[in-house]
Amino acid sequence: MSRLVRFTVVLLTCTLALVIGACGSDEDSGLKGVALPSDFPSDQVPLIDGTVLTASGNATKGWSVTVQAPAGDSGVLDTAVKKLTDAGYTESQRTSQNGQSVVVLTADKAGKTYWVSAGVTPAAASGGSSVFYTITTS
């Protein structure tokens, strides 16, 4: 599958999940909103501050999380990337097309390699203020 097709599928899936998103709470992570999956690697994958709009997945297949940033964070993708690079991640790819941007980062932590795609799209219900994360390990 080409990168553009994968990029488009991920963004459309996340946008749909954002529109359908539910409410809840996650006391352990310090984030508001929907609870993260019980096996989500919070210690290895720092997320931006804000409200978790959607969260799904598991250690076997990977996780997808959407976080809406607090009002006033105009550079939400840069904030997400900085938080990850400050935690030891290395940016390996950055793609932008039609206002949609995705950054792929990787890090070796706790004996695993973590791949994180962080993206934003102005077409999301919350505008460009949400970060869509896709996390996998190997």
Side-chain angles (χ1 to χ4, degrees), residues 39-132:
D39 64 350
F40 185 83
S42 297
D43 293 338
Q44 285 77 27
V45 183
L47 304 174
I48 61 167
D49 294 333
T51 302
V52 178
L53 300 175
T54 64
S56 62
N58 58 51
T60 304
K61 295 183 179 182
W63 302 269
S64 295
V65 179
T66 303
V67 181
Q68 183 174 15
D73 189 347
S74 60
V76 67
L77 182 58
D78 291 334
T79 300
V81 170
K82 180 170 180 4
K83 198 157 190 175
L84 289 161
T85 56
D86 287 352
Y89 281 80
T90 302
E91 183 176 328
S92 61
Q93 181 180 346
R94 187 176 284 253
T95 306
S96 292
Q97 185 173 350
N98 299 326
Q100 301 172 356
S101 300
V102 172
V103 179
V104 179
L105 304 102
T106 185
D108 292 321
K109 295 180 169 283
K112 295 181 181 179
T113 300
Y114 286 84
W115 291 90
V116 178
S117 296
V120 295
T121 178
S126 61
S129 65
S130 293
V131 176
F132 305 101

Coordinates of all heavy atoms in Angstrom, one line a residue, residues 39-132:
D39 N -3.3 -1.4 28.3 CA -1.9 -1.8 28.0 C -1.2 -0.7 27.2 O -0.1 -0.9 26.6 CB -1.8 -3.1 27.3 CG -2.5 -3.1 25.9 OD1 -3.2 -2.1 25.6 OD2 -2.3 -4.1 25.2
F40 N -1.8 0.5 27.1 CA -1.2 1.6 26.4 C 0.1 2.0 27.1 O 0.2 2.2 28.3 CB -2.1 2.9 26.3 CG -1.5 4.0 25.5 CD1 -1.6 3.9 24.1 CD2 -0.8 5.0 26.1 CE1 -1.1 5.0 23.3 CE2 -0.2 6.0 25.3 CZ -0.4 6.0 23.9
P41 N 1.2 2.2 26.3 CA 2.5 2.4 26.9 C 2.8 3.9 27.3 O 3.6 4.6 26.7 CB 3.5 2.0 25.8 CG 2.7 2.3 24.5 CD 1.3 2.0 24.9
S42 N 2.0 4.4 28.3 CA 2.1 5.8 28.7 C 3.5 6.2 29.1 O 3.9 7.4 28.8 CB 1.1 6.0 29.9 OG -0.2 5.8 29.5
D43 N 4.3 5.3 29.7 CA 5.6 5.7 30.1 C 6.6 5.8 28.9 O 7.5 6.6 29.0 CB 6.2 4.7 31.1 CG 5.5 4.7 32.4 OD1 4.8 5.7 32.8 OD2 5.5 3.6 33.1
Q44 N 6.3 5.2 27.8 CA 7.1 5.2 26.7 C 6.7 6.2 25.6 O 7.5 6.6 24.7 CB 7.3 3.8 26.0 CG 8.2 2.8 26.8 CD 7.5 2.3 28.0 OE1 6.3 2.2 28.1 NE2 8.3 1.9 29.0
V45 N 5.4 6.5 25.6 CA 4.8 7.4 24.5 C 4.1 8.5 25.1 O 2.9 8.5 25.5 CB 3.9 6.6 23.6 CG1 3.4 7.5 22.5 CG2 4.5 5.3 23.0
P46 N 4.8 9.7 25.3 CA 4.2 10.8 25.9 C 3.2 11.5 24.9 O 3.5 11.7 23.7 CB 5.3 11.8 26.2 CG 6.4 11.4 25.3 CD 6.2 9.9 25.0
L47 N 2.0 11.8 25.3 CA 1.0 12.5 24.5 C 0.9 14.0 24.9 O 1.3 14.3 26.0 CB -0.4 11.8 24.7 CG -0.4 10.3 24.4 CD1 -1.8 9.8 24.8 CD2 -0.1 10.0 23.0
I48 N 0.4 14.8 24.1 CA 0.2 16.2 24.4 C -0.8 16.3 25.5 O -1.7 15.4 25.7 CB -0.2 17.0 23.2 CG1 -1.6 16.5 22.6 CG2 0.8 17.1 22.1 CD1 -2.2 17.5 21.6
D49 N -0.8 17.4 26.2 CA -1.8 17.7 27.2 C -3.1 18.0 26.5 O -3.1 18.5 25.4 CB -1.4 18.9 28.1 CG -0.2 18.6 28.9 OD1 0.0 17.4 29.3 OD2 0.5 19.5 29.3
G50 N -4.2 17.6 27.1 CA -5.5 17.9 26.5 C -6.6 16.8 26.8 O -6.5 16.2 27.8
T51 N -7.5 16.7 25.9 CA -8.6 15.8 26.1 C -8.6 14.6 25.1 O -8.5 14.9 23.9 CB -10.0 16.5 26.0 OG1 -10.0 17.6 26.9 CG2 -11.2 15.6 26.2
V52 N -8.5 13.4 25.6 CA -8.5 12.3 24.8 C -9.9 12.1 24.2 O -10.9 11.9 24.9 CB -8.1 11.0 25.5 CG1 -8.1 9.8 24.6 CG2 -6.7 11.2 26.1
L53 N -10.0 12.2 22.9 CA -11.3 12.1 22.2 C -11.6 10.6 21.8 O -12.7 10.2 21.9 CB -11.3 13.0 21.0 CG -11.2 14.5 21.2 CD1 -11.1 15.2 19.9 CD2 -12.3 15.0 22.1
T54 N -10.6 9.9 21.4 CA -10.7 8.5 21.0 C -9.4 7.8 21.4 O -8.3 8.3 21.4 CB -10.9 8.3 19.5 OG1 -9.8 8.7 18.8 CG2 -12.1 9.0 19.0
A55 N -9.6 6.5 21.8 CA -8.4 5.7 22.1 C -8.8 4.2 21.9 O -9.9 3.8 22.5 CB -8.0 5.9 23.6
S56 N -8.0 3.5 21.2 CA -8.3 2.1 20.9 C -7.0 1.4 20.6 O -6.0 2.0 20.4 CB -9.3 2.0 19.7 OG -8.7 2.5 18.6
G57 N -7.1 0.0 20.6 CA -6.0 -0.8 20.2 C -5.5 -1.6 21.4 O -6.0 -1.6 22.5
N58 N -4.4 -2.3 21.1 CA -3.7 -3.2 22.0 C -2.2 -3.4 21.6 O -1.8 -3.0 20.5 CB -4.4 -4.5 22.2 CG -4.5 -5.3 20.9 OD1 -3.5 -5.5 20.2 ND2 -5.7 -5.7 20.5
A59 N -1.5 -4.0 22.5 CA -0.1 -4.2 22.3 C 0.2 -5.1 21.0 O 1.2 -4.9 20.4 CB 0.6 -4.9 23.5
T60 N -0.7 -6.0 20.7 CA -0.5 -6.8 19.5 C -0.7 -6.1 18.2 O 0.2 -6.2 17.3 CB -1.5 -8.0 19.6 OG1 -1.3 -8.7 20.8 CG2 -1.3 -9.0 18.4
K61 N -1.7 -5.3 18.1 CA -2.0 -4.6 16.8 C -1.6 -3.2 16.8 O -1.7 -2.5 15.7 CB -3.5 -4.7 16.5 CG -3.9 -6.2 16.3 CD -5.4 -6.3 15.9 CE -5.8 -7.7 15.7 NZ -7.2 -7.8 15.3
G62 N -1.3 -2.6 17.9 CA -0.9 -1.2 18.0 C -2.1 -0.4 18.5 O -3.2 -0.9 18.8
W63 N -1.9 0.9 18.7 CA -2.9 1.8 19.3 C -3.1 3.0 18.5 O -2.3 3.5 17.7 CB -2.4 2.3 20.7 CG -2.1 1.3 21.7 CD1 -2.9 0.7 22.6 CD2 -0.8 0.6 21.9 NE1 -2.3 -0.2 23.4 CE2 -1.0 -0.3 22.9 CE3 0.4 0.7 21.3 CZ2 0.1 -1.1 23.4 CZ3 1.5 -0.1 21.7 CH2 1.3 -1.0 22.8
S64 N -4.4 3.5 18.5 CA -4.7 4.8 17.9 C -5.3 5.7 18.9 O -6.2 5.3 19.7 CB -5.7 4.6 16.8 OG -5.2 3.8 15.7
V65 N -4.9 6.9 19.0 CA -5.3 7.9 20.0 C -5.5 9.2 19.4 O -4.6 9.6 18.6 CB -4.3 8.0 21.2 CG1 -4.8 9.0 22.3 CG2 -4.1 6.6 21.9
T66 N -6.6 9.9 19.7 CA -6.8 11.3 19.3 C -6.9 12.2 20.5 O -7.7 11.9 21.4 CB -8.1 11.4 18.4 OG1 -8.0 10.5 17.3 CG2 -8.3 12.8 17.9
V67 N -6.0 13.2 20.5 CA -6.0 14.1 21.7 C -6.3 15.5 21.2 O -5.6 16.0 20.3 CB -4.7 14.1 22.4 CG1 -4.7 15.1 23.6 CG2 -4.3 12.7 22.9
Q68 N -7.3 16.2 21.8 CA -7.6 17.6 21.4 C -6.8 18.5 22.4 O -6.9 18.3 23.6 CB -9.0 17.9 21.5 CG -9.4 19.3 21.1 CD -10.8 19.6 21.1 OE1 -11.6 18.9 21.7 NE2 -11.2 20.7 20.5
A69 N -5.9 19.3 21.8 CA -5.1 20.2 22.6 C -5.9 21.3 23.2 O -7.0 21.6 22.8 CB -4.0 20.8 21.7
P70 N -5.3 21.9 24.3 CA -6.0 23.0 24.9 C -6.1 24.2 23.9 O -5.3 24.3 23.0 CB -5.1 23.4 26.1 CG -4.2 22.3 26.3 CD -4.1 21.5 25.0
A71 N -7.2 25.0 24.1 CA -7.3 26.2 23.3 C -6.1 27.1 23.3 O -5.4 27.2 24.3 CB -8.5 27.0 23.7
G72 N -5.7 27.6 22.2 CA -4.6 28.5 22.1 C -3.3 27.9 21.7 O -2.3 28.6 21.4
D73 N -3.2 26.5 21.6 CA -2.0 25.9 21.1 C -2.1 25.8 19.5 O -2.7 24.9 19.0 CB -1.9 24.5 21.7 CG -0.6 23.8 21.3 OD1 0.2 24.4 20.5 OD2 -0.2 22.8 22.0
S74 N -1.5 26.8 18.9 CA -1.6 26.9 17.4 C -0.7 26.0 16.7 O -0.9 25.7 15.5 CB -1.4 28.4 17.0 OG -0.1 28.8 17.4
G75 N 0.4 25.5 17.4 CA 1.3 24.6 16.8 C 1.2 23.2 17.4 O 2.2 22.7 17.8
V76 N 0.1 22.7 17.4 CA -0.2 21.4 18.1 C 0.7 20.3 17.6 O 1.2 19.5 18.5 CB -1.7 21.1 18.1 CG1 -2.2 20.7 16.8 CG2 -2.0 20.0 19.1
L77 N 0.9 20.2 16.4 CA 1.8 19.1 15.9 C 3.2 19.3 16.3 O 3.9 18.3 16.8 CB 1.7 19.0 14.3 CG 2.5 17.8 13.7 CD1 2.1 16.5 14.3 CD2 2.4 17.8 12.2
D78 N 3.7 20.5 16.3 CA 5.1 20.8 16.7 C 5.2 20.5 18.2 O 6.2 20.0 18.7 CB 5.5 22.2 16.4 CG 5.6 22.5 15.0 OD1 6.0 21.5 14.2 OD2 5.5 23.6 14.5
T79 N 4.1 20.8 19.0 CA 4.1 20.5 20.4 C 4.2 19.0 20.6 O 5.0 18.5 21.5 CB 2.8 21.0 21.1 OG1 2.8 22.4 20.9 CG2 2.8 20.7 22.6
A80 N 3.5 18.2 19.9 CA 3.5 16.7 20.0 C 4.9 16.2 19.6 O 5.4 15.3 20.3 CB 2.4 16.1 19.1
V81 N 5.5 16.7 18.5 CA 6.8 16.2 18.1 C 7.8 16.6 19.1 O 8.7 15.7 19.5 CB 7.1 16.8 16.7 CG1 8.6 16.5 16.3 CG2 6.2 16.2 15.6
K82 N 7.8 17.8 19.7 CA 8.7 18.2 20.7 C 8.7 17.3 21.9 O 9.7 16.9 22.5 CB 8.6 19.6 21.1 CG 9.6 20.1 22.1 CD 9.6 21.6 22.4 CE 10.5 22.1 23.4 NZ 11.5 21.2 24.0
K83 N 7.4 17.0 22.4 CA 7.3 16.1 23.5 C 7.9 14.8 23.3 O 8.5 14.2 24.2 CB 5.8 16.0 23.9 CG 5.5 15.5 25.3 CD 4.2 15.9 25.7 CE 4.0 15.6 27.2 NZ 2.8 16.1 27.8
L84 N 7.7 14.2 22.1 CA 8.3 12.9 21.7 C 9.8 13.0 21.6 O 10.5 12.1 22.1 CB 7.6 12.4 20.5 CG 6.2 11.9 20.6 CD1 5.5 11.8 19.3 CD2 6.1 10.6 21.4
T85 N 10.3 14.0 20.9 CA 11.8 14.1 20.8 C 12.5 14.4 22.1 O 13.6 13.9 22.4 CB 12.2 15.2 19.7 OG1 11.6 16.4 20.1 CG2 11.8 14.8 18.3
D86 N 11.8 15.1 23.0 CA 12.4 15.3 24.3 C 12.4 14.0 25.1 O 13.2 13.9 26.0 CB 11.5 16.4 25.1 CG 11.7 17.8 24.6 OD1 12.6 18.0 23.8 OD2 11.0 18.7 25.1
A87 N 11.6 13.1 24.7 CA 11.5 11.8 25.4 C 12.4 10.7 24.7 O 12.4 9.6 25.0 CB 10.1 11.2 25.5
G88 N 13.2 11.2 23.8 CA 14.2 10.3 23.1 C 13.8 9.8 21.7 O 14.6 9.0 21.1
Y89 N 12.7 10.3 21.2 CA 12.3 9.8 19.8 C 13.1 10.6 18.8 O 13.5 11.7 19.0 CB 10.8 10.1 19.6 CG 10.0 9.0 20.2 CD1 9.7 9.0 21.6 CD2 9.5 8.0 19.5 CE1 8.9 8.0 22.2 CE2 8.7 7.0 20.0 CZ 8.4 7.0 21.4 OH 7.7 6.0 21.9
T90 N 13.3 10.0 17.6 CA 14.0 10.6 16.5 C 13.0 10.7 15.3 O 12.3 9.7 15.0 CB 15.2 9.7 16.0 OG1 16.1 9.6 17.1 CG2 15.9 10.4 14.9
E91 N 12.9 11.9 14.8 CA 12.0 12.1 13.6 C 12.6 11.4 12.4 O 13.7 11.7 12.1 CB 11.8 13.6 13.4 CG 10.8 13.9 12.3 CD 10.5 15.4 12.1 OE1 10.6 16.1 13.1 OE2 10.3 15.8 10.9
S92 N 11.8 10.6 11.7 CA 12.3 9.9 10.5 C 11.6 10.3 9.3 O 12.2 10.1 8.2 CB 12.2 8.4 10.7 OG 10.8 8.0 10.9
Q93 N 10.5 11.0 9.4 CA 9.8 11.4 8.2 C 8.7 12.5 8.5 O 8.1 12.4 9.6 CB 9.0 10.2 7.5 CG 8.3 10.5 6.2 CD 7.6 9.3 5.7 OE1 7.9 8.2 6.0 NE2 6.7 9.5 4.7
R94 N 8.6 13.4 7.6 CA 7.5 14.5 7.8 C 6.9 14.6 6.4 O 7.5 14.9 5.4 CB 8.2 15.8 8.2 CG 7.2 16.9 8.6 CD 7.9 18.1 9.1 NE 8.4 17.9 10.5 CZ 7.8 18.5 11.5 NH1 6.7 19.3 11.4 NH2 8.3 18.2 12.7
T95 N 5.5 14.6 6.4 CA 4.8 14.7 5.2 C 3.6 15.6 5.3 O 3.0 15.6 6.4 CB 4.2 13.3 4.8 OG1 5.2 12.3 4.7 CG2 3.5 13.3 3.4
S96 N 3.5 16.5 4.3 CA 2.3 17.5 4.4 C 1.7 17.5 3.0 O 2.4 17.5 2.0 CB 2.8 18.9 4.7 OG 3.2 18.9 6.0
Q97 N 0.3 17.4 3.0 CA -0.4 17.5 1.8 C -1.8 18.0 2.0 O -2.5 17.5 2.9 CB -0.5 16.1 1.1 CG -1.1 16.1 -0.2 CD -1.0 14.7 -0.9 OE1 -0.3 13.8 -0.4 NE2 -1.7 14.5 -2.0
N98 N -2.2 19.0 1.3 CA -3.6 19.6 1.4 C -3.9 19.9 2.9 O -5.0 19.7 3.3 CB -4.6 18.6 0.9 CG -4.4 18.3 -0.6 OD1 -4.0 19.2 -1.3 ND2 -4.7 17.1 -1.0
G99 N -2.9 20.5 3.6 CA -3.2 20.9 5.0 C -3.1 19.8 6.0 O -3.1 20.1 7.2
Q100 N -2.9 18.6 5.6 CA -2.8 17.4 6.5 C -1.3 17.2 6.6 O -0.5 17.1 5.6 CB -3.5 16.2 5.9 CG -4.9 16.4 5.7 CD -5.6 15.2 5.0 OE1 -4.9 14.3 4.6 NE2 -6.9 15.3 4.8
S101 N -0.8 17.0 7.9 CA 0.6 16.8 8.1 C 0.7 15.6 9.0 O -0.1 15.4 10.0 CB 1.2 18.0 8.8 OG 1.1 19.1 8.0
V102 N 1.8 14.8 8.8 CA 2.1 13.6 9.6 C 3.6 13.6 9.8 O 4.4 13.8 8.9 CB 1.6 12.3 8.9 CG1 2.1 11.1 9.7 CG2 0.1 12.2 8.8
V103 N 4.0 13.3 11.0 CA 5.4 13.1 11.4 C 5.5 11.7 11.9 O 4.8 11.3 12.8 CB 5.8 14.2 12.4 CG1 7.3 13.9 12.8 CG2 5.6 15.6 11.9
V104 N 6.5 11.0 11.4 CA 6.8 9.6 11.9 C 8.1 9.7 12.8 O 9.1 10.3 12.3 CB 7.0 8.6 10.8 CG1 7.3 7.2 11.3 CG2 5.8 8.6 9.9
L105 N 8.0 9.1 14.0 CA 9.1 9.1 14.9 C 9.4 7.7 15.4 O 8.4 6.9 15.4 CB 8.9 10.1 16.1 CG 8.5 11.5 15.7 CD1 7.0 11.7 15.9 CD2 9.3 12.5 16.6
T106 N 10.6 7.4 15.9 CA 10.9 6.1 16.4 C 11.8 6.3 17.6 O 12.6 7.2 17.7 CB 11.5 5.2 15.3 OG1 11.7 3.9 15.8 CG2 12.9 5.8 14.8
A107 N 11.7 5.3 18.5 CA 12.6 5.2 19.6 C 12.7 3.8 20.1 O 11.7 3.0 20.0 CB 12.1 6.1 20.8
D108 N 13.9 3.4 20.7 CA 14.0 2.1 21.3 C 13.9 2.3 22.8 O 14.6 3.1 23.4 CB 15.4 1.5 21.0 CG 15.6 1.1 19.6 OD1 14.6 0.6 19.0 OD2 16.6 1.4 19.0
K109 N 12.9 1.7 23.4 CA 12.6 1.9 24.8 C 12.1 0.5 25.4 O 11.3 -0.2 24.8 CB 11.4 2.9 25.0 CG 11.8 4.3 24.6 CD 10.7 5.2 24.8 CE 11.1 6.6 24.6 NZ 11.9 7.2 25.8
A110 N 12.7 0.2 26.6 CA 12.3 -1.0 27.3 C 12.3 -2.3 26.5 O 11.5 -3.1 26.5 CB 10.8 -0.8 27.9
G111 N 13.4 -2.3 25.6 CA 13.6 -3.5 24.8 C 12.7 -3.6 23.6 O 12.7 -4.7 22.9
K112 N 12.0 -2.6 23.2 CA 11.1 -2.6 22.1 C 11.4 -1.3 21.2 O 11.9 -0.3 21.8 CB 9.7 -2.6 22.4 CG 9.2 -3.8 23.2 CD 7.7 -3.7 23.5 CE 7.2 -4.9 24.2 NZ 5.8 -4.8 24.6
T113 N 11.1 -1.4 19.9 CA 11.2 -0.3 19.1 C 9.8 0.3 18.9 O 8.9 -0.5 18.5 CB 11.8 -0.6 17.7 OG1 13.1 -1.1 17.9 CG2 11.8 0.6 16.8
Y114 N 9.6 1.5 19.3 CA 8.3 2.2 19.1 C 8.3 3.1 17.9 O 9.2 3.9 17.7 CB 8.0 3.0 20.4 CG 7.6 2.2 21.6 CD1 8.6 1.7 22.4 CD2 6.3 2.0 21.9 CE1 8.3 0.9 23.5 CE2 6.0 1.2 23.0 CZ 7.0 0.7 23.8 OH 6.7 -0.1 24.9
W115 N 7.2 2.9 17.1 CA 7.0 3.8 15.9 C 5.7 4.6 16.2 O 4.7 4.0 16.5 CB 6.8 2.9 14.7 CG 8.0 2.2 14.2 CD1 8.4 1.0 14.6 CD2 9.0 2.7 13.4 NE1 9.6 0.7 14.0 CE2 10.0 1.7 13.2 CE3 9.2 3.9 12.7 CZ2 11.1 1.9 12.4 CZ3 10.3 4.1 11.9 CH2 11.3 3.1 11.8
V116 N 5.9 5.9 16.1 CA 4.7 6.8 16.4 C 4.5 7.7 15.2 O 5.5 8.4 14.8 CB 5.0 7.7 17.7 CG1 3.8 8.6 17.9 CG2 5.2 6.8 18.9
S117 N 3.3 7.7 14.7 CA 2.9 8.6 13.7 C 2.0 9.6 14.3 O 1.0 9.2 15.0 CB 2.1 7.9 12.5 OG 2.9 7.0 11.9
A118 N 2.3 10.9 14.3 CA 1.5 12.0 14.8 C 1.1 12.8 13.7 O 1.9 13.3 12.9 CB 2.3 12.8 15.9
G119 N -0.2 13.1 13.6 CA -0.7 13.9 12.5 C -1.8 14.8 12.9 O -2.5 14.7 13.9
V120 N -2.0 15.8 12.0 CA -3.1 16.8 12.2 C -3.8 17.0 10.8 O -3.2 16.8 9.8 CB -2.6 18.2 12.7 CG1 -2.1 18.0 14.1 CG2 -1.6 18.8 11.8
T121 N -5.1 17.3 10.9 CA -5.8 17.7 9.7 C -6.8 18.7 10.0 O -7.5 18.7 11.0 CB -6.5 16.4 9.1 OG1 -7.3 16.8 7.9 CG2 -7.4 15.7 10.1
P122 N -6.9 19.8 9.2 CA -7.9 20.8 9.4 C -9.3 20.3 9.1 O -10.3 21.0 9.5 CB -7.5 21.9 8.4 CG -6.7 21.2 7.4 CD -6.1 20.1 8.0
A123 N -9.5 19.1 8.5 CA -10.8 18.6 8.2 C -11.5 17.9 9.4 O -12.6 17.5 9.3 CB -10.7 17.6 7.0
A124 N -10.7 17.7 10.5 CA -11.3 17.1 11.7 C -12.4 18.0 12.3 O -12.4 19.2 12.1 CB -10.2 16.8 12.7
A125 N -13.3 17.3 13.0 CA -14.4 18.1 13.6 C -13.9 19.1 14.6 O -14.5 20.2 14.7 CB -15.3 17.1 14.4
S126 N -12.7 18.9 15.2 CA -12.2 19.9 16.1 C -11.2 20.8 15.4 O -10.5 21.6 16.1 CB -11.5 19.2 17.3 OG -10.4 18.4 16.8
G127 N -11.2 20.8 14.1 CA -10.2 21.6 13.3 C -8.8 21.0 13.5 O -8.6 19.9 13.7
G128 N -7.8 21.9 13.3 CA -6.5 21.5 13.4 C -5.9 21.4 14.8 O -4.7 21.3 15.0
S129 N -6.8 21.4 15.8 CA -6.3 21.4 17.2 C -6.2 20.0 17.8 O -5.9 19.9 19.0 CB -7.2 22.3 18.1 OG -8.5 21.7 18.1
S130 N -6.4 19.0 17.1 CA -6.2 17.6 17.6 C -5.1 16.9 16.9 O -4.8 17.1 15.7 CB -7.5 16.8 17.3 OG -8.6 17.4 18.1
V131 N -4.4 16.1 17.7 CA -3.3 15.3 17.2 C -3.8 13.8 17.1 O -4.4 13.3 18.1 CB -2.1 15.3 18.0 CG1 -1.0 14.4 17.5 CG2 -1.6 16.8 18.1
F132 N -3.6 13.2 16.0 CA -4.0 11.8 15.8 C -2.7 11.0 15.9 O -1.8 11.2 15.1 CB -4.6 11.6 14.4 CG -5.8 12.5 14.1 CD1 -5.7 13.6 13.4 CD2 -7.0 12.1 14.7 CE1 -6.8 14.4 13.1 CE2 -8.1 12.9 14.5 CZ -8.0 14.1 13.7

